[in-house]
Amino acid sequence: MKLNLSLFLTATCLSTTAAFLGRPAASSATTTGLSATVEATSGLIPPKHIEDLKDENCQTLYNSNVQTTYGRYPLTIKSGKGCYLTTTDGKQYLDCVSGIATCALGHANAELTAAITEQMNTVHHVSNLYYIPQQAALANWLCENSDADKAFFCNSGAESNEAAIKLARRHASNRGVTKPVIITAEQSFHGRTLAALSATAQPKYHKGFGYDGQMVQGFEHCKYNDIASLEAAVERATSDGQGLAAIMLEPLQGEGGIVPGTVEFFEKAREICDANGALLMCDEVQVGMGRSGTLWGHQQLGIVPDVFTSAKALGGGVPIGAMMAKGEAATVFGPGDHASTYGGNPLACAAGLAVAQYICDNDILSNVEARGQQLTEGLEALAEKYPKMLGQVRGWGLLKGVECIGEGVAPGVLVGAAMKAGLLLVPAGSNVVRFVPPLIVTEAEINEAIEKFDAAIAEVIASA
């Protein structure tokens, strides 16, 4: 009876409202009728239509309603295709940012679009209280193409690293360690959440987020690629009743300035972890999923981590993160120990599977190797041409950086000049210009990127 009464009252309200407004009552079964009713009775203001937002209006809305956590360039992107983005004023840009190493398959990739569309038309989200075939299939692919045994899914790189930090602490607790310490490297970057930020050994990111001057406790730091500094950090981490829980490193430091790890350093880290019962954890958020030329960055170093994390390119631009673990580390978490509402839902995992399939079907790793070598050669030629402006070229695959050594010329200046030339780049660290194009980039597009960067440098020199 309650249900019938509710339906009766709803129908009566619809009819009364329609009669008052002088128009026929719309059927509550139609979207139009429902929308009209909600608008008329709720007092809610509907969202603006995107097509009505001109550049000035968009920027005004940003300034009024979006928190200023980013410094934005004056570009408004309308569409993308392959390795190109088009702005609302019709200008086309060669994209060597890829959403910061995220759009691995470029923009509007047909296979990725089809997979997402099909999944949206089927079921896009259910709780992890139930079995999700797409999640199982993606976890299987990740494990079969690495040394991992099991995966945990979340939504971002920071979340995947938080999961790794929690796992390391629980693993240490299981060994009886009550003061677990995780060692990370100076100039690292592990995310913006509080523990991941504490793991990030860059004080500039810590300002204003501590408690009595301290970030989350339980982290020690060492110099990257410095074995003596690592050993000293281990001594500190195992003193005063503390115990080494993990060493957490990026195989290649991205935000720290495109600095690859050395085999010797990572072998020593592996040796130290084995000797202390600790976990070796690799942050693969930026370098992983093929960007280095191998599927995982740690494969460039010949070591096997206990835990590694992924995000960014894993979903090709659809938010997804993953934390993979092997052996004992893969069984640390039990029900209730960690969770994510959206993590591993059908939509995100369908995107991940589409990216994985495309990488396999199109020999993307070979393209990354070839185009990465071409990019290195092109940048080194420019460094030789402009020795007072450009320095060392470094990186792996399609994660490359070139030092900006021009007096009074910050990386942002070159990035801005490149933008005027139709090339999108992004700084890394304090003095590096970073190139992270989609993994599908062609030989002709790499040549175009070098030509545009050349023109940008010449323009900066001419205007000095």
Side-chain angles (χ1 to χ4, degrees), residues 65 67 72 118 122 143 147 150 176 190 196 210 215 226 246 252 263 275 300 303 338 361 382 392 408 441 447:
N65 302 121
Q67 295 187 26
R72 290 180 169 84
E118 181 180 353
T122 308
C143 292
D147 289 288
K150 292 187 177 182
H190 298 293
M215 296 295 286
D226 187 322
L252 178 152
V263 171
Q300 296 277 343
I303 54 97
H338 198 51
D361 291 347
L382 291 181
Q392 183 186 27
V441 68
N447 286 334

mmCIF file with all atom_site columns, all heavy atoms in Angstrom, residues 65 67 72 118 122 143 147 150 176 190 196 210 215 226 246 252 263 275 300 303 338 361 382 392 408 441 447:
data_model
loop_
_atom_site.group_PDB
_atom_site.id
_atom_site.type_symbol
_atom_site.label_atom_id
_atom_site.label_alt_id
_atom_site.label_comp_id
_atom_site.label_asym_id
_atom_site.label_entity_id
_atom_site.label_seq_id
_atom_site.pdbx_PDB_ins_code
_atom_site.Cartn_x
_atom_site.Cartn_y
_atom_site.Cartn_z
_atom_site.occupancy
_atom_site.B_iso_or_equiv
_atom_site.pdbx_formal_charge
_atom_site.auth_seq_id
_atom_site.auth_comp_id
_atom_site.auth_asym_id
_atom_site.auth_atom_id
_atom_site.pdbx_PDB_model_num
ATOM 1   N N   . ASN A 1 65  ? 35.542 28.798  -9.401  1.00 0.00 ? 65  ASN A N   1
ATOM 2   C CA  . ASN A 1 65  ? 35.023 27.575  -8.794  1.00 0.00 ? 65  ASN A CA  1
ATOM 3   C C   . ASN A 1 65  ? 36.018 26.434  -8.613  1.00 0.00 ? 65  ASN A C   1
ATOM 4   O O   . ASN A 1 65  ? 35.705 25.458  -7.917  1.00 0.00 ? 65  ASN A O   1
ATOM 5   C CB  . ASN A 1 65  ? 33.830 27.054  -9.614  1.00 0.00 ? 65  ASN A CB  1
ATOM 6   C CG  . ASN A 1 65  ? 32.717 28.071  -9.729  1.00 0.00 ? 65  ASN A CG  1
ATOM 7   O OD1 . ASN A 1 65  ? 32.346 28.468  -10.821 1.00 0.00 ? 65  ASN A OD1 1
ATOM 8   N ND2 . ASN A 1 65  ? 32.170 28.515  -8.612  1.00 0.00 ? 65  ASN A ND2 1
ATOM 9   N N   . GLN A 1 67  ? 39.650 25.016  -7.274  1.00 0.00 ? 67  GLN A N   1
ATOM 10  C CA  . GLN A 1 67  ? 40.766 25.353  -6.396  1.00 0.00 ? 67  GLN A CA  1
ATOM 11  C C   . GLN A 1 67  ? 42.058 25.443  -7.197  1.00 0.00 ? 67  GLN A C   1
ATOM 12  O O   . GLN A 1 67  ? 42.291 24.654  -8.123  1.00 0.00 ? 67  GLN A O   1
ATOM 13  C CB  . GLN A 1 67  ? 40.889 24.317  -5.272  1.00 0.00 ? 67  GLN A CB  1
ATOM 14  C CG  . GLN A 1 67  ? 39.674 24.323  -4.347  1.00 0.00 ? 67  GLN A CG  1
ATOM 15  C CD  . GLN A 1 67  ? 39.859 23.430  -3.128  1.00 0.00 ? 67  GLN A CD  1
ATOM 16  O OE1 . GLN A 1 67  ? 40.969 23.166  -2.692  1.00 0.00 ? 67  GLN A OE1 1
ATOM 17  N NE2 . GLN A 1 67  ? 38.751 22.975  -2.561  1.00 0.00 ? 67  GLN A NE2 1
ATOM 18  N N   . ARG A 1 72  ? 48.032 26.808  -14.673 1.00 0.00 ? 72  ARG A N   1
ATOM 19  C CA  . ARG A 1 72  ? 47.610 26.317  -15.986 1.00 0.00 ? 72  ARG A CA  1
ATOM 20  C C   . ARG A 1 72  ? 48.103 27.212  -17.123 1.00 0.00 ? 72  ARG A C   1
ATOM 21  O O   . ARG A 1 72  ? 48.132 28.438  -16.991 1.00 0.00 ? 72  ARG A O   1
ATOM 22  C CB  . ARG A 1 72  ? 46.081 26.213  -16.042 1.00 0.00 ? 72  ARG A CB  1
ATOM 23  C CG  . ARG A 1 72  ? 45.541 25.085  -15.177 1.00 0.00 ? 72  ARG A CG  1
ATOM 24  C CD  . ARG A 1 72  ? 44.015 25.000  -15.257 1.00 0.00 ? 72  ARG A CD  1
ATOM 25  N NE  . ARG A 1 72  ? 43.543 23.768  -14.639 1.00 0.00 ? 72  ARG A NE  1
ATOM 26  C CZ  . ARG A 1 72  ? 43.325 23.611  -13.340 1.00 0.00 ? 72  ARG A CZ  1
ATOM 27  N NH1 . ARG A 1 72  ? 43.532 24.618  -12.521 1.00 0.00 ? 72  ARG A NH1 1
ATOM 28  N NH2 . ARG A 1 72  ? 42.919 22.454  -12.850 1.00 0.00 ? 72  ARG A NH2 1
ATOM 29  N N   . GLU A 1 118 ? 31.610 -0.212  -24.903 1.00 0.00 ? 118 GLU A N   1
ATOM 30  C CA  . GLU A 1 118 ? 30.939 -1.497  -24.693 1.00 0.00 ? 118 GLU A CA  1
ATOM 31  C C   . GLU A 1 118 ? 30.706 -1.767  -23.214 1.00 0.00 ? 118 GLU A C   1
ATOM 32  O O   . GLU A 1 118 ? 29.632 -2.236  -22.819 1.00 0.00 ? 118 GLU A O   1
ATOM 33  C CB  . GLU A 1 118 ? 31.771 -2.619  -25.309 1.00 0.00 ? 118 GLU A CB  1
ATOM 34  C CG  . GLU A 1 118 ? 31.144 -3.996  -25.158 1.00 0.00 ? 118 GLU A CG  1
ATOM 35  C CD  . GLU A 1 118 ? 31.973 -5.117  -25.763 1.00 0.00 ? 118 GLU A CD  1
ATOM 36  O OE1 . GLU A 1 118 ? 32.992 -4.801  -26.426 1.00 0.00 ? 118 GLU A OE1 1
ATOM 37  O OE2 . GLU A 1 118 ? 31.610 -6.285  -25.572 1.00 0.00 ? 118 GLU A OE2 1
ATOM 38  N N   . THR A 1 122 ? 27.212 -2.099  -20.768 1.00 0.00 ? 122 THR A N   1
ATOM 39  C CA  . THR A 1 122 ? 26.954 -3.380  -20.105 1.00 0.00 ? 122 THR A CA  1
ATOM 40  C C   . THR A 1 122 ? 26.788 -3.174  -18.605 1.00 0.00 ? 122 THR A C   1
ATOM 41  O O   . THR A 1 122 ? 25.687 -3.238  -18.066 1.00 0.00 ? 122 THR A O   1
ATOM 42  C CB  . THR A 1 122 ? 28.102 -4.371  -20.392 1.00 0.00 ? 122 THR A CB  1
ATOM 43  O OG1 . THR A 1 122 ? 28.326 -4.439  -21.799 1.00 0.00 ? 122 THR A OG1 1
ATOM 44  C CG2 . THR A 1 122 ? 27.768 -5.756  -19.857 1.00 0.00 ? 122 THR A CG2 1
ATOM 45  N N   . CYS A 1 143 ? 50.209 -10.204 -13.862 1.00 0.00 ? 143 CYS A N   1
ATOM 46  C CA  . CYS A 1 143 ? 51.042 -11.215 -13.200 1.00 0.00 ? 143 CYS A CA  1
ATOM 47  C C   . CYS A 1 143 ? 51.788 -12.085 -14.206 1.00 0.00 ? 143 CYS A C   1
ATOM 48  O O   . CYS A 1 143 ? 52.952 -12.433 -13.987 1.00 0.00 ? 143 CYS A O   1
ATOM 49  C CB  . CYS A 1 143 ? 50.179 -12.075 -12.281 1.00 0.00 ? 143 CYS A CB  1
ATOM 50  S SG  . CYS A 1 143 ? 49.524 -11.181 -10.842 1.00 0.00 ? 143 CYS A SG  1
ATOM 51  N N   . ASP A 1 147 ? 56.906 -10.740 -12.485 1.00 0.00 ? 147 ASP A N   1
ATOM 52  C CA  . ASP A 1 147 ? 57.160 -11.769 -11.473 1.00 0.00 ? 147 ASP A CA  1
ATOM 53  C C   . ASP A 1 147 ? 56.142 -11.726 -10.345 1.00 0.00 ? 147 ASP A C   1
ATOM 54  O O   . ASP A 1 147 ? 56.289 -12.439 -9.353  1.00 0.00 ? 147 ASP A O   1
ATOM 55  C CB  . ASP A 1 147 ? 58.576 -11.587 -10.906 1.00 0.00 ? 147 ASP A CB  1
ATOM 56  C CG  . ASP A 1 147 ? 59.647 -11.969 -11.914 1.00 0.00 ? 147 ASP A CG  1
ATOM 57  O OD1 . ASP A 1 147 ? 59.810 -13.171 -12.170 1.00 0.00 ? 147 ASP A OD1 1
ATOM 58  O OD2 . ASP A 1 147 ? 60.317 -11.064 -12.455 1.00 0.00 ? 147 ASP A OD2 1
ATOM 59  N N   . LYS A 1 150 ? 50.063 -11.584 -7.338  1.00 0.00 ? 150 LYS A N   1
ATOM 60  C CA  . LYS A 1 150 ? 48.722 -11.045 -7.136  1.00 0.00 ? 150 LYS A CA  1
ATOM 61  C C   . LYS A 1 150 ? 48.741 -9.524  -7.269  1.00 0.00 ? 150 LYS A C   1
ATOM 62  O O   . LYS A 1 150 ? 49.766 -8.878  -7.063  1.00 0.00 ? 150 LYS A O   1
ATOM 63  C CB  . LYS A 1 150 ? 48.163 -11.443 -5.758  1.00 0.00 ? 150 LYS A CB  1
ATOM 64  C CG  . LYS A 1 150 ? 47.877 -12.939 -5.624  1.00 0.00 ? 150 LYS A CG  1
ATOM 65  C CD  . LYS A 1 150 ? 47.160 -13.260 -4.321  1.00 0.00 ? 150 LYS A CD  1
ATOM 66  C CE  . LYS A 1 150 ? 46.825 -14.747 -4.242  1.00 0.00 ? 150 LYS A CE  1
ATOM 67  N NZ  . LYS A 1 150 ? 46.091 -15.083 -3.002  1.00 0.00 ? 150 LYS A NZ  1
ATOM 68  N N   . GLY A 1 176 ? 57.181 -8.890  13.692  1.00 0.00 ? 176 GLY A N   1
ATOM 69  C CA  . GLY A 1 176 ? 57.427 -8.412  15.040  1.00 0.00 ? 176 GLY A CA  1
ATOM 70  C C   . GLY A 1 176 ? 58.067 -7.042  15.114  1.00 0.00 ? 176 GLY A C   1
ATOM 71  O O   . GLY A 1 176 ? 58.490 -6.601  16.188  1.00 0.00 ? 176 GLY A O   1
ATOM 72  N N   . HIS A 1 190 ? 56.399 10.197  -5.015  1.00 0.00 ? 190 HIS A N   1
ATOM 73  C CA  . HIS A 1 190 ? 55.539 9.023   -4.859  1.00 0.00 ? 190 HIS A CA  1
ATOM 74  C C   . HIS A 1 190 ? 54.054 9.363   -4.726  1.00 0.00 ? 190 HIS A C   1
ATOM 75  O O   . HIS A 1 190 ? 53.248 8.450   -4.552  1.00 0.00 ? 190 HIS A O   1
ATOM 76  C CB  . HIS A 1 190 ? 55.997 8.210   -3.652  1.00 0.00 ? 190 HIS A CB  1
ATOM 77  C CG  . HIS A 1 190 ? 57.392 7.677   -3.765  1.00 0.00 ? 190 HIS A CG  1
ATOM 78  N ND1 . HIS A 1 190 ? 57.740 6.718   -4.693  1.00 0.00 ? 190 HIS A ND1 1
ATOM 79  C CD2 . HIS A 1 190 ? 58.532 8.002   -3.104  1.00 0.00 ? 190 HIS A CD2 1
ATOM 80  C CE1 . HIS A 1 190 ? 59.033 6.448   -4.592  1.00 0.00 ? 190 HIS A CE1 1
ATOM 81  N NE2 . HIS A 1 190 ? 59.540 7.217   -3.641  1.00 0.00 ? 190 HIS A NE2 1
ATOM 82  N N   . ALA A 1 196 ? 52.291 8.973   1.044   1.00 0.00 ? 196 ALA A N   1
ATOM 83  C CA  . ALA A 1 196 ? 53.076 9.006   -0.189  1.00 0.00 ? 196 ALA A CA  1
ATOM 84  C C   . ALA A 1 196 ? 53.896 10.280  -0.277  1.00 0.00 ? 196 ALA A C   1
ATOM 85  O O   . ALA A 1 196 ? 55.037 10.280  -0.758  1.00 0.00 ? 196 ALA A O   1
ATOM 86  C CB  . ALA A 1 196 ? 52.155 8.885   -1.401  1.00 0.00 ? 196 ALA A CB  1
ATOM 87  N N   . GLY A 1 210 ? 52.948 19.228  7.696   1.00 0.00 ? 210 GLY A N   1
ATOM 88  C CA  . GLY A 1 210 ? 53.457 18.437  8.805   1.00 0.00 ? 210 GLY A CA  1
ATOM 89  C C   . GLY A 1 210 ? 52.707 18.694  10.101  1.00 0.00 ? 210 GLY A C   1
ATOM 90  O O   . GLY A 1 210 ? 51.795 19.512  10.191  1.00 0.00 ? 210 GLY A O   1
ATOM 91  N N   . MET A 1 215 ? 56.473 15.116  9.123   1.00 0.00 ? 215 MET A N   1
ATOM 92  C CA  . MET A 1 215 ? 55.516 14.426  8.266   1.00 0.00 ? 215 MET A CA  1
ATOM 93  C C   . MET A 1 215 ? 55.196 13.067  8.903   1.00 0.00 ? 215 MET A C   1
ATOM 94  O O   . MET A 1 215 ? 55.543 12.819  10.059  1.00 0.00 ? 215 MET A O   1
ATOM 95  C CB  . MET A 1 215 ? 56.108 14.269  6.873   1.00 0.00 ? 215 MET A CB  1
ATOM 96  C CG  . MET A 1 215 ? 56.367 15.579  6.150   1.00 0.00 ? 215 MET A CG  1
ATOM 97  S SD  . MET A 1 215 ? 54.851 16.502  5.763   1.00 0.00 ? 215 MET A SD  1
ATOM 98  C CE  . MET A 1 215 ? 54.202 15.529  4.395   1.00 0.00 ? 215 MET A CE  1
ATOM 99  N N   . ASP A 1 226 ? 73.393 6.152   -4.806  1.00 0.00 ? 226 ASP A N   1
ATOM 100 C CA  . ASP A 1 226 ? 74.563 6.288   -3.919  1.00 0.00 ? 226 ASP A CA  1
ATOM 101 C C   . ASP A 1 226 ? 74.521 5.161   -2.889  1.00 0.00 ? 226 ASP A C   1
ATOM 102 O O   . ASP A 1 226 ? 73.743 5.216   -1.922  1.00 0.00 ? 226 ASP A O   1
ATOM 103 C CB  . ASP A 1 226 ? 74.531 7.654   -3.237  1.00 0.00 ? 226 ASP A CB  1
ATOM 104 C CG  . ASP A 1 226 ? 75.792 7.955   -2.437  1.00 0.00 ? 226 ASP A CG  1
ATOM 105 O OD1 . ASP A 1 226 ? 76.340 7.029   -1.808  1.00 0.00 ? 226 ASP A OD1 1
ATOM 106 O OD2 . ASP A 1 226 ? 76.224 9.132   -2.427  1.00 0.00 ? 226 ASP A OD2 1
ATOM 107 N N   . ALA A 1 246 ? 61.058 -1.719  4.341   1.00 0.00 ? 246 ALA A N   1
ATOM 108 C CA  . ALA A 1 246 ? 61.143 -1.759  2.880   1.00 0.00 ? 246 ALA A CA  1
ATOM 109 C C   . ALA A 1 246 ? 62.099 -0.693  2.375   1.00 0.00 ? 246 ALA A C   1
ATOM 110 O O   . ALA A 1 246 ? 62.394 0.286   3.064   1.00 0.00 ? 246 ALA A O   1
ATOM 111 C CB  . ALA A 1 246 ? 59.764 -1.551  2.255   1.00 0.00 ? 246 ALA A CB  1
ATOM 112 N N   . LEU A 1 252 ? 63.421 4.722   -12.454 1.00 0.00 ? 252 LEU A N   1
ATOM 113 C CA  . LEU A 1 252 ? 63.887 5.958   -13.067 1.00 0.00 ? 252 LEU A CA  1
ATOM 114 C C   . LEU A 1 252 ? 63.119 7.089   -12.407 1.00 0.00 ? 252 LEU A C   1
ATOM 115 O O   . LEU A 1 252 ? 61.890 7.070   -12.375 1.00 0.00 ? 252 LEU A O   1
ATOM 116 C CB  . LEU A 1 252 ? 63.644 5.951   -14.576 1.00 0.00 ? 252 LEU A CB  1
ATOM 117 C CG  . LEU A 1 252 ? 64.038 7.208   -15.372 1.00 0.00 ? 252 LEU A CG  1
ATOM 118 C CD1 . LEU A 1 252 ? 64.401 6.838   -16.809 1.00 0.00 ? 252 LEU A CD1 1
ATOM 119 C CD2 . LEU A 1 252 ? 62.933 8.252   -15.386 1.00 0.00 ? 252 LEU A CD2 1
ATOM 120 N N   . VAL A 1 263 ? 72.333 -0.213  -12.104 1.00 0.00 ? 263 VAL A N   1
ATOM 121 C CA  . VAL A 1 263 ? 72.220 -1.628  -11.764 1.00 0.00 ? 263 VAL A CA  1
ATOM 122 C C   . VAL A 1 263 ? 72.846 -1.898  -10.402 1.00 0.00 ? 263 VAL A C   1
ATOM 123 O O   . VAL A 1 263 ? 72.266 -2.615  -9.571  1.00 0.00 ? 263 VAL A O   1
ATOM 124 C CB  . VAL A 1 263 ? 72.902 -2.494  -12.847 1.00 0.00 ? 263 VAL A CB  1
ATOM 125 C CG1 . VAL A 1 263 ? 72.981 -3.950  -12.402 1.00 0.00 ? 263 VAL A CG1 1
ATOM 126 C CG2 . VAL A 1 263 ? 72.146 -2.381  -14.175 1.00 0.00 ? 263 VAL A CG2 1
ATOM 127 N N   . ALA A 1 275 ? 68.735 -9.432  3.231   1.00 0.00 ? 275 ALA A N   1
ATOM 128 C CA  . ALA A 1 275 ? 69.455 -9.644  4.489   1.00 0.00 ? 275 ALA A CA  1
ATOM 129 C C   . ALA A 1 275 ? 68.628 -9.231  5.699   1.00 0.00 ? 275 ALA A C   1
ATOM 130 O O   . ALA A 1 275 ? 68.844 -9.744  6.807   1.00 0.00 ? 275 ALA A O   1
ATOM 131 C CB  . ALA A 1 275 ? 70.767 -8.865  4.463   1.00 0.00 ? 275 ALA A CB  1
ATOM 132 N N   . GLN A 1 300 ? 64.782 -3.128  -16.729 1.00 0.00 ? 300 GLN A N   1
ATOM 133 C CA  . GLN A 1 300 ? 65.983 -2.483  -17.263 1.00 0.00 ? 300 GLN A CA  1
ATOM 134 C C   . GLN A 1 300 ? 67.172 -2.684  -16.331 1.00 0.00 ? 300 GLN A C   1
ATOM 135 O O   . GLN A 1 300 ? 68.331 -2.562  -16.736 1.00 0.00 ? 300 GLN A O   1
ATOM 136 C CB  . GLN A 1 300 ? 65.745 -0.973  -17.435 1.00 0.00 ? 300 GLN A CB  1
ATOM 137 C CG  . GLN A 1 300 ? 64.671 -0.609  -18.439 1.00 0.00 ? 300 GLN A CG  1
ATOM 138 C CD  . GLN A 1 300 ? 65.183 -0.592  -19.864 1.00 0.00 ? 300 GLN A CD  1
ATOM 139 O OE1 . GLN A 1 300 ? 66.379 -0.536  -20.109 1.00 0.00 ? 300 GLN A OE1 1
ATOM 140 N NE2 . GLN A 1 300 ? 64.266 -0.631  -20.823 1.00 0.00 ? 300 GLN A NE2 1
ATOM 141 N N   . ILE A 1 303 ? 66.611 -6.618  -11.770 1.00 0.00 ? 303 ILE A N   1
ATOM 142 C CA  . ILE A 1 303 ? 66.255 -7.052  -10.408 1.00 0.00 ? 303 ILE A CA  1
ATOM 143 C C   . ILE A 1 303 ? 64.769 -7.403  -10.371 1.00 0.00 ? 303 ILE A C   1
ATOM 144 O O   . ILE A 1 303 ? 63.992 -6.987  -11.241 1.00 0.00 ? 303 ILE A O   1
ATOM 145 C CB  . ILE A 1 303 ? 66.584 -5.971  -9.352  1.00 0.00 ? 303 ILE A CB  1
ATOM 146 C CG1 . ILE A 1 303 ? 65.936 -4.617  -9.725  1.00 0.00 ? 303 ILE A CG1 1
ATOM 147 C CG2 . ILE A 1 303 ? 68.076 -5.812  -9.199  1.00 0.00 ? 303 ILE A CG2 1
ATOM 148 C CD1 . ILE A 1 303 ? 64.655 -4.326  -9.069  1.00 0.00 ? 303 ILE A CD1 1
ATOM 149 N N   . HIS A 1 338 ? 42.673 -3.666  3.490   1.00 0.00 ? 338 HIS A N   1
ATOM 150 C CA  . HIS A 1 338 ? 42.786 -2.552  2.559   1.00 0.00 ? 338 HIS A CA  1
ATOM 151 C C   . HIS A 1 338 ? 41.658 -2.681  1.540   1.00 0.00 ? 338 HIS A C   1
ATOM 152 O O   . HIS A 1 338 ? 41.161 -3.790  1.291   1.00 0.00 ? 338 HIS A O   1
ATOM 153 C CB  . HIS A 1 338 ? 44.143 -2.556  1.854   1.00 0.00 ? 338 HIS A CB  1
ATOM 154 C CG  . HIS A 1 338 ? 44.492 -1.233  1.236   1.00 0.00 ? 338 HIS A CG  1
ATOM 155 N ND1 . HIS A 1 338 ? 44.427 -0.056  1.932   1.00 0.00 ? 338 HIS A ND1 1
ATOM 156 C CD2 . HIS A 1 338 ? 44.903 -0.908  -0.014  1.00 0.00 ? 338 HIS A CD2 1
ATOM 157 C CE1 . HIS A 1 338 ? 44.787 0.945   1.142   1.00 0.00 ? 338 HIS A CE1 1
ATOM 158 N NE2 . HIS A 1 338 ? 45.077 0.460   -0.042  1.00 0.00 ? 338 HIS A NE2 1
ATOM 159 N N   . ASP A 1 361 ? 49.270 -6.613  -29.338 1.00 0.00 ? 361 ASP A N   1
ATOM 160 C CA  . ASP A 1 361 ? 48.932 -6.803  -30.747 1.00 0.00 ? 361 ASP A CA  1
ATOM 161 C C   . ASP A 1 361 ? 49.775 -5.958  -31.692 1.00 0.00 ? 361 ASP A C   1
ATOM 162 O O   . ASP A 1 361 ? 49.945 -6.315  -32.863 1.00 0.00 ? 361 ASP A O   1
ATOM 163 C CB  . ASP A 1 361 ? 47.452 -6.483  -30.988 1.00 0.00 ? 361 ASP A CB  1
ATOM 164 C CG  . ASP A 1 361 ? 46.518 -7.503  -30.360 1.00 0.00 ? 361 ASP A CG  1
ATOM 165 O OD1 . ASP A 1 361 ? 47.004 -8.579  -29.952 1.00 0.00 ? 361 ASP A OD1 1
ATOM 166 O OD2 . ASP A 1 361 ? 45.305 -7.219  -30.280 1.00 0.00 ? 361 ASP A OD2 1
ATOM 167 N N   . LEU A 1 382 ? 70.631 18.423  -31.060 1.00 0.00 ? 382 LEU A N   1
ATOM 168 C CA  . LEU A 1 382 ? 70.290 19.779  -30.652 1.00 0.00 ? 382 LEU A CA  1
ATOM 169 C C   . LEU A 1 382 ? 71.208 20.277  -29.543 1.00 0.00 ? 382 LEU A C   1
ATOM 170 O O   . LEU A 1 382 ? 71.581 21.462  -29.508 1.00 0.00 ? 382 LEU A O   1
ATOM 171 C CB  . LEU A 1 382 ? 68.829 19.850  -30.200 1.00 0.00 ? 382 LEU A CB  1
ATOM 172 C CG  . LEU A 1 382 ? 67.763 19.673  -31.277 1.00 0.00 ? 382 LEU A CG  1
ATOM 173 C CD1 . LEU A 1 382 ? 66.367 19.800  -30.670 1.00 0.00 ? 382 LEU A CD1 1
ATOM 174 C CD2 . LEU A 1 382 ? 67.934 20.699  -32.394 1.00 0.00 ? 382 LEU A CD2 1
ATOM 175 N N   . GLN A 1 392 ? 72.976 17.496  -20.868 1.00 0.00 ? 392 GLN A N   1
ATOM 176 C CA  . GLN A 1 392 ? 72.869 16.037  -20.983 1.00 0.00 ? 392 GLN A CA  1
ATOM 177 C C   . GLN A 1 392 ? 71.471 15.590  -21.380 1.00 0.00 ? 392 GLN A C   1
ATOM 178 O O   . GLN A 1 392 ? 70.467 16.126  -20.911 1.00 0.00 ? 392 GLN A O   1
ATOM 179 C CB  . GLN A 1 392 ? 73.261 15.386  -19.656 1.00 0.00 ? 392 GLN A CB  1
ATOM 180 C CG  . GLN A 1 392 ? 73.256 13.872  -19.681 1.00 0.00 ? 392 GLN A CG  1
ATOM 181 C CD  . GLN A 1 392 ? 73.515 13.268  -18.309 1.00 0.00 ? 392 GLN A CD  1
ATOM 182 O OE1 . GLN A 1 392 ? 73.224 13.879  -17.287 1.00 0.00 ? 392 GLN A OE1 1
ATOM 183 N NE2 . GLN A 1 392 ? 74.073 12.068  -18.286 1.00 0.00 ? 392 GLN A NE2 1
ATOM 184 N N   . GLY A 1 408 ? 69.930 31.865  -16.996 1.00 0.00 ? 408 GLY A N   1
ATOM 185 C CA  . GLY A 1 408 ? 68.678 32.586  -16.828 1.00 0.00 ? 408 GLY A CA  1
ATOM 186 C C   . GLY A 1 408 ? 67.510 32.002  -17.599 1.00 0.00 ? 408 GLY A C   1
ATOM 187 O O   . GLY A 1 408 ? 66.436 32.617  -17.663 1.00 0.00 ? 408 GLY A O   1
ATOM 188 N N   . VAL A 1 441 ? 53.753 6.950   -30.967 1.00 0.00 ? 441 VAL A N   1
ATOM 189 C CA  . VAL A 1 441 ? 54.334 8.029   -31.770 1.00 0.00 ? 441 VAL A CA  1
ATOM 190 C C   . VAL A 1 441 ? 55.137 7.457   -32.946 1.00 0.00 ? 441 VAL A C   1
ATOM 191 O O   . VAL A 1 441 ? 55.772 6.406   -32.832 1.00 0.00 ? 441 VAL A O   1
ATOM 192 C CB  . VAL A 1 441 ? 55.215 8.943   -30.884 1.00 0.00 ? 441 VAL A CB  1
ATOM 193 C CG1 . VAL A 1 441 ? 56.468 8.213   -30.393 1.00 0.00 ? 441 VAL A CG1 1
ATOM 194 C CG2 . VAL A 1 441 ? 55.572 10.232  -31.593 1.00 0.00 ? 441 VAL A CG2 1
ATOM 195 N N   . ASN A 1 447 ? 60.450 13.315  -35.599 1.00 0.00 ? 447 ASN A N   1
ATOM 196 C CA  . ASN A 1 447 ? 61.172 14.322  -36.383 1.00 0.00 ? 447 ASN A CA  1
ATOM 197 C C   . ASN A 1 447 ? 60.516 15.695  -36.243 1.00 0.00 ? 447 ASN A C   1
ATOM 198 O O   . ASN A 1 447 ? 61.201 16.718  -36.105 1.00 0.00 ? 447 ASN A O   1
ATOM 199 C CB  . ASN A 1 447 ? 61.223 13.918  -37.859 1.00 0.00 ? 447 ASN A CB  1
ATOM 200 C CG  . ASN A 1 447 ? 62.195 12.775  -38.121 1.00 0.00 ? 447 ASN A CG  1
ATOM 201 O OD1 . ASN A 1 447 ? 63.157 12.586  -37.371 1.00 0.00 ? 447 ASN A OD1 1
ATOM 202 N ND2 . ASN A 1 447 ? 61.961 12.019  -39.174 1.00 0.00 ? 447 ASN A ND2 1
#
